[in-house]
Amino acid sequence: MTRARSAPYEVGETDSGTTYVEPGDRAREVPVTFTGEVVQVGSGWDGVDADLAYLWARLPSGREVKALIRDVERVK
């Protein structure tokens, strides 16, 4: 039995990165940089579609954004 890997980010920590824009939305929306509090670590983690693993972060304005985990880093 293999041990499951946990996500590299935790709910409540502050991270920064670039937002993810779904392919169908790219004609009207562009990725932006952000810094916010992680509120959810989404699907795709633990080796299942790991290249598309994502998280949601809440910005200081209250707006929530989606980002690919590979495009996010922890704020020190």
Side-chain angles (χ1 to χ4, degrees):
M1 179 183 236
T2 60
R3 181 177 218 178
R5 295 179 300 158
S6 60
Y9 300 101
E10 295 181 16
V11 171
E13 70 183 20
T14 300
D15 295 320
S16 64
T18 304
T19 59
Y20 176 71
V21 178
E22 298 286 344
D25 295 333
R26 292 180 183 162
R28 63 180 182 276
E29 187 177 346
V30 296
V32 296
T33 57
F34 72 91
T35 298
E37 179 183 336
V38 175
V39 293
Q40 179 181 345
V41 178
S43 68
W45 191 247
D46 195 23
V48 180
D49 298 328
D51 285 343
L52 295 177
Y54 65 86
L55 59 74
W56 288 89
R58 182 172 296 126
L59 307 179
S61 67
R63 180 176 175 235
E64 292 185 1
V65 295
K66 180 179 182 178
L68 295 176
I69 286 176
R70 68 177 185 227
D71 295 336
V72 175
E73 54 187 42
R74 202 170 267 117
V75 173
K76 303 213 186 301

